[in-house]
Amino acid sequence: MNSDLKFGEDLANKVVQYLMKQTQISNYHKEYCGTGFYFDGQNIFYTHFFDGYPDLEHYQNSENRYSGIIRTFHEMMEFQDWLANQSDRKLSGEESQDDFYSYNQRITKLRLEKLILES
């Protein structure tokens, strides 16, 4: 989970294809569900999830919160290029400087690979 290995183009492309069909990559359970991706038919949101739903009402660090939308992508290729260059460490939440958010139900390469394999 501390890997600096980039996710790569192939996995990023498969994630985009998955999101176009399934619209969401997230955990589904009560309360805080970690981070994930949500496609609303136009934009892809890298955001926090609560009770299995994306938090699209808040932006990162607004109102002294570390929740809500982390980043919004208006084009699929922009998201795909960004995701290909991400790693477990980059998406770990370390930047929050909060033990609750760091490495807590984050997007990881293994999680994405498993999801794609099972779909």
Side-chain angles (χ1 to χ4, degrees), residues 4 9-10 18-19 29 39 59 68 74 78 85 88 108 117:
D4 287 317
E9 285 293 325
D10 184 53
Y18 181 91
L19 282 172
H29 55 73
F39 177 54
Y59 285 88
H74 302 291
E78 176 190 13
N85 288 294
D88 289 353
T108 64
L117 186 64

Side-chain angles (χ1 to χ4, degrees):
M1 194 161 194
N2 279 333
S3 175
D4 287 317
L5 184 65
K6 291 181 180 180
F7 291 174
E9 285 293 325
D10 184 53
L11 180 58
N13 180 49
K14 289 175 182 173
V15 168
V16 166
Q17 298 305 314
Y18 181 91
L19 282 172
M20 289 175 67
K21 294 176 187 169
Q22 303 298 325
T23 71
Q24 183 168 313
I25 295 174
S26 68
N27 291 319
Y28 295 92
H29 55 73
K30 189 168 174 44
E31 298 177 354
Y32 183 68
C33 300
T35 60
F37 302 123
Y38 175 70
F39 177 54
D40 70 356
Q42 217 169 17
N43 303 299
I44 295 177
F45 299 93
Y46 171 41
T47 188
H48 293 265
F49 284 75
F50 293 86
D51 297 325
Y53 296 98
D55 181 354
L56 302 178
E57 296 181 16
H58 301 94
Y59 285 88
Q60 202 68 35
N61 296 320
S62 67
E63 303 170 18
N64 295 318
R65 292 175 49 139
Y66 186 80
S67 63
I69 299 169
I70 299 168
R71 187 159 179 184
T72 302
F73 300 90
H74 302 291
E75 296 182 18
M76 291 287 188
M77 283 307 300
E78 176 190 13
F79 172 75
Q80 186 172 319
D81 290 344
W82 172 84
L83 186 60
N85 288 294
Q86 298 309 299
S87 67
D88 289 353
R89 186 180 308 277
K90 284 183 180 180
L91 299 184
S92 70
E94 286 180 334
E95 73 282 356
S96 71
Q97 299 179 353
D98 183 327
D99 289 341
F100 178 78
Y101 291 105
S102 296
Y103 298 97
N104 183 357
Q105 303 178 80
R106 306 301 289 209
I107 293 290
T108 64
K109 185 174 185 180
L110 181 63
R111 182 174 162 197
L112 293 174
E113 288 173 337
K114 184 177 178 184
L115 181 73
I116 298 304
L117 186 64
E118 292 173 353
S119 66

